[in-house]
Amino acid sequence: MPWDRNQMAERAAQELEDGMYVNLGIGIPTLVANYTGDKDITLQSENGMLGMGPFPVEGDEDADVINAGKQTITELNRTAYFDSATSFGMIRGGKIAAAILGAMEVSENGDLANWMIPGKLVKGMGGAMDLVAGVGRVIVITDHNSKSGAAKLLKECTLPLTGKAVVDRIITNLGVFDVVEGGLRIVELAPDVTEAELREKTEATLVA
Amino acid sequence: MPWDRNQMAERAAQELEDGMYVNLGIGIPTLVANYTGDKDITLQSENGMLGMGPFPVEGDEDADVINAGKQTITELNRTAYFDSATSFGMIRGGKIAAAILGAMEVSENGDLANWMIPGKLVKGMGGAMDLVAGVGRVIVITDHNSKSGAAKLLKECTLPLTGKAVVDRIITNLGVFDVVEGGLRIVELAPDVTEAELREKTEATLVA
Amino acid sequence: MASKIYDSASAALDGLLTDGMTLAAGGFGLCGIPENLIAAIRDAGTKDLTVYSNNAGVDDFGLGVLLQTRQVKKMCSSYVGENDEFMRQYLAGELEIEFNPQGTLAERMRAGGCGIPGFYTKTGVGTQVAEGKEHKDFDGETYILERGIVADLAIVKAWKADETGNCIFRKTARNFNPPAAMCGKICVMEVEEIVPNGTLDGDHIHLPGIYVHRLIQGQHEKRIEQRTTRKKEA
Amino acid sequence: MASKIYDSASAALDGLLTDGMTLAAGGFGLCGIPENLIAAIRDAGTKDLTVYSNNAGVDDFGLGVLLQTRQVKKMCSSYVGENDEFMRQYLAGELEIEFNPQGTLAERMRAGGCGIPGFYTKTGVGTQVAEGKEHKDFDGETYILERGIVADLAIVKAWKADETGNCIFRKTARNFNPPAAMCGKICVMEVEEIVPNGTLDGDHIHLPGIYVHRLIQGQHEKRIEQRTTRKKEA
């Protein structure tokens, strides 16, 4: 049985260690914060905040306290604010231990595409290119296949890249994969997912 | 009668306009602050302070409030503090309108030497190279001649440079000079100083 | 000192606006944007603007206002979602866009303001962003050269400023405002409150007054883009 | 989170010191220097240090202490006056010095900490400082390439820090401390006071805790280098 969104987030939370500074992307990555348990994880928001708290209770929203997805959030008792140049200095300088991001496509050598579909979707890369270039470890969470069933783990990406050879680990609804010499190594399969099924749904080279 | 130290500083203060942000070097330039009269000049200290006040009264010295000469000073009611990278960002970025600095030698094309005598004096350039490269207008205050009587306004500097073609105006005990095409233009002479005397004591080309 | 304080956004911009100029704007999404100055530029009708700003606002607020009036020729941004008019103009070829990675844009602004005409970064290597840019290896890794930005005018928003323009920002409304302010040849700042000199602690100031040439106290809607809440715990 | 707080400077440096390492130190003159960490490095006897620091202290205080014990192989500084022992070792060829313009040194530290391996500056063009460096023209002006600094260890001093290492500096004691902290692979911070989380306002923090790996509360002499005063007005 493939993992659902929350199970993927829960699995991703296992990647984080106590004391880590982490940046979570928009979408499923945001859910990872719900599963860190006892681990003390400090979340960085690239719009200028270290130590991101949960959503506010109704009535406590503050227009001046938002995350990188422009959602209202709250601060903690150890939150620090800073400007965007400093924020990305932190990111580019390798001070953030890990980023967990979504993907449109990932290639078997760790290329990531998640910012643009030429002629259709022109939103921009935001901070994703900086994150994949700068943070210590890049973890991708994505459905294994697109809604139409197409493979998202490819030999080569077809969409414009966010970064070249930047992904360390991929968590999909079917399993966990590491980018290694020669392709993607299967680290773990979701319950009842078989290697045969996986191979069928994956274009990238899978290595043991 | 040549100007004394205080008169040179007083003359230099005439270069400053109301509302200017200015950096004053160590030595005679520091005295300029005593002669700004009604003009509201904001002094930048490159160790991280904008809005430098006078020396403290005895007993009020604070080890955490010093100027670039490491002297104890005070703050004003509009002082801002910042780190050294920000401070020199301001300087390099041309935000400071003028710097008034001392000199060992100045050449007729505006080269300045004021940081090193090879084999003898090895103190370093501090912030002087950044200041001459970055600020809007560089004004030098210096005795016209060395203690031994040697010219300090030269055709070419003999000492290692602080900056090349960076000086705009020179104020000495004998007069005021602008760096122009072809040499130094006499802007003003100190009382009773003759042009003949000046020419004798100057190696640099003097132009009308 | 001649006062930096002006009565209105229009007064503060008087003499500073010319068609075809470059503009740097602070803000992230709709957070910490110079609402009053944007409205005054709309009213002034300045055309063919090239705007350096992380985002382009939404259709009817933020920089989106200047897109609706067709005053913008080119945007240099990292993210322009949330704006249908932008998308329409872009896909119709009526608007140029130069995408910059968010951190590259922020650093380009700071660099320009700090007298740094170019710097190297790993961000974007191997992507479209690197095309046409100088590549250089340092210690075995490849980087690309990015240029400092110096804009004709910076429009920014802070929380409070004293009379000399020393200012402080509030929480995540700081974002691009300090680097945008730094990179303007002239910087006009709008704040929620102008306070007397002596009110702000010199150690709390985020942007010293030297970066601020003109100052207004404005009215701020501070619109929230994505209102997200959780249930109150019992 | 595993605590960043250590009992002593020696404990905080345990396992971090190796002969021949590079060190970045905060402070300007004797103002805002990491007194306790310098003393602990002296006691540890680590040799052949390359030290990035704006100044070299005085003969018996600040980094001058490590010069007296001959633990420093090379200094990278902008100004080393006020230190006779430095001058003696340098003129005798026992100590290397690389002079950096003050702003270039500060920016090199910030750049190294921000993942920028190189940047261009006008500072030093046409001087000894430019010799052997790449020159490049931007918009008709010549600039030189300066490199970002990444030091094995940064030792810095702040006024107060909370338990996660968020810290604030006091007045001009801030100086090189933030850029030095940023450029260290590891940063050890000494403060006058460690305060509980929640004590510091998030908008007042000068250096977020992410830059601080280990933290101690120290005893600080805070020696004044040039005590200058004026007469009290009657």
Side-chain angles (χ1 to χ4, degrees):
Chain A
M1 203 176 51
W3 288 318
D4 65 19
R5 288 162 57 88
N6 284 306
Q7 287 167 321
M8 285 160 73
E10 188 172 5
R11 178 60 189 81
Q14 292 176 27
E15 303 292 321
L16 304 182
E17 291 164 27
D18 188 55
M20 265 193 182
Y21 292 92
V22 176
N23 185 294
L24 301 179
I26 297 169
I28 305 181
T30 304
L31 301 176
V32 174
N34 300 335
Y35 299 98
T36 52
D38 287 344
K39 289 182 282 197
D40 191 354
I41 305 296
T42 304
L43 298 177
Q44 200 249 19
S45 190
E46 64 262 33
N47 53 319
M49 187 180 195
L50 194 68
M52 193 162 51
F55 294 145
V57 296
E58 213 167 327
D60 282 356
E61 307 93 321
D62 182 336
D64 290 341
V65 188
I66 64 167
N67 65 16
K70 284 110 182 175
Q71 297 171 311
T72 45
I73 48 162
T74 56
E75 63 179 27
L76 303 172
N77 71 351
R78 54 168 187 198
T79 297
Y81 298 100
F82 33 83
D83 69 51
S84 299
T86 305
S87 181
F88 282 93
M90 229 173 252
I91 290 169
R92 204 188 301 104
K95 310 295 178 183
I96 311 278
I100 304 184
L101 302 170
M104 295 173 181
E105 297 177 345
V106 191
S107 80
E108 62 187 46
N109 73 333
D111 297 352
L112 172 66
N114 71 351
W115 76 280
M116 187 190 200
I117 303 173
K120 272 177 75 176
L121 183 80
V122 199
K123 295 196 166 187
M125 69 290 281
M129 282 195 183
D130 308 276
L131 283 162
V132 299
V135 303
R137 188 166 162 78
V138 175
I139 299 159
V140 158
I141 303 189
T142 176
D143 283 329
H144 202 87
N145 298 84
S146 72
K147 280 170 192 159
S148 67
K152 297 183 74 168
L153 276 48
L154 306 173
K155 292 199 184 300
E156 280 189 38
C157 292
T158 65
L159 294 170
L161 296 186
T162 305
K164 210 165 167 50
V166 292
V167 176
D168 295 293
R169 177 164 280 196
I170 308 161
I171 297 169
T172 77
N173 50 327
L174 300 188
V176 180
F177 310 87
D178 273 353
V179 178
V180 298
E181 195 67 39
L184 303 181
R185 187 172 66 79
I186 302 169
V187 175
E188 194 177 324
L189 293 176
D192 303 327
V193 173
T194 64
E195 208 175 305
E197 177 189 355
L198 193 77
R199 288 188 183 277
E200 191 188 321
K201 294 180 169 174
T202 309
E203 183 199 294
T205 309
L206 292 171
V207 301
Chain B
M1 203 174 55
W3 288 318
D4 65 17
R5 289 163 57 90
N6 284 305
Q7 288 167 321
M8 287 161 71
E10 190 171 3
R11 178 59 190 80
Q14 293 176 26
E15 304 291 322
L16 304 182
E17 290 162 30
D18 188 56
M20 263 191 181
Y21 292 90
V22 176
N23 184 293
L24 301 179
I26 297 169
I28 305 181
T30 304
L31 301 175
V32 175
N34 299 334
Y35 298 99
T36 52
D38 286 345
K39 290 181 284 199
D40 191 355
I41 305 297
T42 304
L43 299 177
Q44 198 248 21
S45 191
E46 65 261 34
N47 53 318
M49 185 180 196
L50 194 68
M52 191 162 51
F55 294 145
V57 297
E58 212 167 325
D60 282 356
E61 307 93 321
D62 183 336
D64 290 341
V65 189
I66 64 167
N67 65 16
K70 286 110 183 177
Q71 297 171 311
T72 45
I73 49 162
T74 55
E75 63 180 25
L76 304 172
N77 71 352
R78 54 170 187 195
T79 297
Y81 298 100
F82 34 84
D83 69 52
S84 299
T86 305
S87 181
F88 282 93
M90 228 173 253
I91 290 169
R92 202 187 304 101
K95 309 297 178 183
I96 311 277
I100 305 184
L101 302 170
M104 295 173 182
E105 298 177 345
V106 191
S107 81
E108 63 187 48
N109 72 333
D111 296 353
L112 172 66
N114 73 352
W115 76 279
M116 187 191 200
I117 304 174
K120 271 177 77 177
L121 183 80
V122 200
K123 292 195 168 187
M125 69 290 280
M129 283 193 182
D130 308 277
L131 283 162
V132 299
V135 303
R137 188 167 160 76
V138 175
I139 299 158
V140 158
I141 303 189
T142 175
D143 284 328
H144 202 88
N145 298 86
S146 73
K147 280 172 191 157
S148 66
K152 297 184 76 169
L153 276 50
L154 305 173
K155 291 198 184 302
E156 281 189 34
C157 292
T158 64
L159 295 171
L161 296 185
T162 305
K164 209 162 169 53
V166 292
V167 177
D168 295 291
R169 178 163 279 198
I170 307 162
I171 296 169
T172 77
N173 50 326
L174 301 187
V176 179
F177 311 88
D178 272 355
V179 178
V180 298
E181 193 66 40
L184 303 181
R185 187 172 67 80
I186 302 171
V187 175
E188 192 179 325
L189 293 175
D192 304 328
V193 173
T194 65
E195 209 176 302
E197 179 190 352
L198 193 77
R199 287 188 184 277
E200 192 189 318
K201 293 182 168 169
T202 308
E203 185 199 292
T205 309
L206 293 171
V207 300
Chain C
M1 170 155 35
S3 175
K4 295 179 175 182
I5 303 171
Y6 288 73
D7 284 340
S8 68
S10 296
L13 291 169
D14 188 43
L16 301 180
L17 301 174
T18 50
D19 291 350
M21 76 189 303
T22 55
L23 209 63
F28 180 92
L30 302 181
C31 179
I33 58 173
E35 304 178 19
N36 296 269
L37 293 163
I38 291 169
I41 292 173
R42 177 199 58 207
D43 294 346
T46 319
K47 287 192 301 285
D48 293 328
L49 298 170
T50 294
V51 183
Y52 297 94
S53 167
N54 188 57
N55 310 96
V58 294
D59 283 279
D60 65 338
F61 200 58
L63 290 171
V65 168
L66 302 182
L67 292 169
Q68 291 224 333
T69 53
R70 306 295 187 92
Q71 290 173 257
V72 179
K73 184 180 71 177
K74 179 179 173 181
M75 289 293 309
C76 180
S77 305
S78 88
Y79 191 81
V80 295
E82 281 97 273
N83 191 322
D84 293 338
E85 176 63 13
F86 185 102
M87 199 69 75
R88 198 201 59 68
Q89 287 185 26
Y90 173 72
L91 293 175
E94 299 163 16
L95 179 68
E96 288 173 64
I97 167 91
E98 175 190 325
F99 277 118
N100 272 210
Q102 192 171 151
T104 296
L105 181 60
E107 189 66 18
R108 289 184 65 196
M109 288 184 182
R110 179 193 177 274
C114 291
I116 293 171
F119 62 90
Y120 291 94
T121 174
K122 240 181 345 190
T123 302
V125 170
T127 76
Q128 278 188 7
V129 160
E131 284 168 22
K133 289 177 185 160
E134 186 196 311
H135 287 59
K136 196 180 184 78
D137 284 6
F138 292 92
D139 304 325
E141 281 222 66
T142 302
Y143 296 80
I144 53 173
L145 177 63
E146 293 281 1
R147 296 294 309 273
I149 292 166
V150 178
D152 295 324
L153 176 66
I155 53 170
V156 292
K157 192 259 172 185
W159 185 34
K160 294 182 181 180
D162 71 15
E163 297 154 280
T164 66
N166 286 318
C167 58
I168 58 177
F169 302 88
R170 191 168 169 275
K171 305 185 188 281
T172 58
R174 195 179 326 176
N175 56 57
F176 274 79
N177 282 295
M182 287 181 182
C183 84
K185 288 180 196 161
I186 299 284
C187 170
V188 183
M189 163 81 66
E190 61 179 69
V191 298
E192 295 180 44
E193 189 184 357
I194 297 174
V195 298
N197 289 344
T199 312
L200 304 178
D201 184 327
D203 276 332
H204 295 170
I205 289 163
H206 297 129
L207 184 76
I210 194 170
Y211 291 107
V212 179
H213 299 90
R214 300 183 181 186
L215 183 62
I216 58 156
Q217 183 169 307
Q219 295 293 324
H220 294 90
E221 178 184 335
K222 295 175 66 165
R223 194 187 292 186
I224 291 176
E225 208 163 336
Q226 306 279 347
R227 191 175 298 270
T228 45
T229 56
R230 65 188 151 102
K231 287 263 176 292
K232 200 162 194 163
E233 280 138 44
Chain D
M1 170 157 35
S3 176
K4 294 180 177 183
I5 302 171
Y6 287 72
D7 285 340
S8 69
S10 295
L13 291 169
D14 188 44
L16 301 180
L17 301 175
T18 49
D19 293 347
M21 77 189 303
T22 56
L23 209 63
F28 180 90
L30 301 181
C31 179
I33 57 173
E35 306 178 17
N36 295 269
L37 293 164
I38 291 170
I41 292 173
R42 178 200 57 208
D43 294 347
T46 319
K47 286 192 302 285
D48 294 326
L49 298 170
T50 294
V51 182
Y52 297 93
S53 167
N54 188 55
N55 308 97
V58 293
D59 284 279
D60 65 336
F61 199 58
L63 289 170
V65 167
L66 302 182
L67 292 169
Q68 290 225 333
T69 51
R70 309 293 188 89
Q71 289 173 257
V72 180
K73 183 180 71 177
K74 180 178 171 181
M75 289 292 308
C76 180
S77 305
S78 89
Y79 191 82
V80 296
E82 282 97 275
N83 192 322
D84 293 337
E85 175 63 13
F86 184 101
M87 198 71 72
R88 197 200 61 66
Q89 287 185 25
Y90 172 71
L91 293 174
E94 298 164 16
L95 179 68
E96 288 174 65
I97 166 92
E98 175 189 325
F99 277 118
N100 272 212
Q102 193 172 148
T104 296
L105 180 61
E107 190 66 19
R108 289 183 64 196
M109 287 181 181
R110 180 195 177 275
C114 292
I116 293 172
F119 62 91
Y120 291 93
T121 175
K122 243 183 343 192
T123 301
V125 170
T127 75
Q128 278 188 7
V129 160
E131 285 169 20
K133 290 177 183 159
E134 184 197 313
H135 286 59
K136 195 179 186 79
D137 284 6
F138 292 91
D139 303 324
E141 280 222 68
T142 303
Y143 296 79
I144 53 174
L145 177 64
E146 294 281 1
R147 297 293 311 272
I149 292 167
V150 177
D152 295 324
L153 175 66
I155 53 171
V156 292
K157 191 258 171 187
W159 184 33
K160 293 182 182 180
D162 71 15
E163 298 154 281
T164 64
N166 286 318
C167 57
I168 59 176
F169 301 89
R170 190 168 169 276
K171 304 184 189 280
T172 59
R174 197 181 323 178
N175 57 59
F176 274 80
N177 282 295
M182 287 180 180
C183 83
K185 288 179 198 163
I186 299 285
C187 170
V188 183
M189 164 80 67
E190 62 178 68
V191 297
E192 296 180 42
E193 191 185 355
I194 296 174
V195 298
N197 289 345
T199 312
L200 305 178
D201 183 327
D203 276 332
H204 295 170
I205 288 162
H206 297 129
L207 185 76
I210 194 170
Y211 291 106
V212 178
H213 299 90
R214 299 184 182 186
L215 182 63
I216 58 156
Q217 183 168 306
Q219 294 294 321
H220 294 90
E221 177 184 337
K222 294 175 66 165
R223 194 188 292 189
I224 291 177
E225 207 164 338
Q226 306 278 345
R227 190 176 299 269
T228 46
T229 57
R230 67 188 150 102
K231 286 262 174 294
K232 201 162 194 161
E233 280 137 45

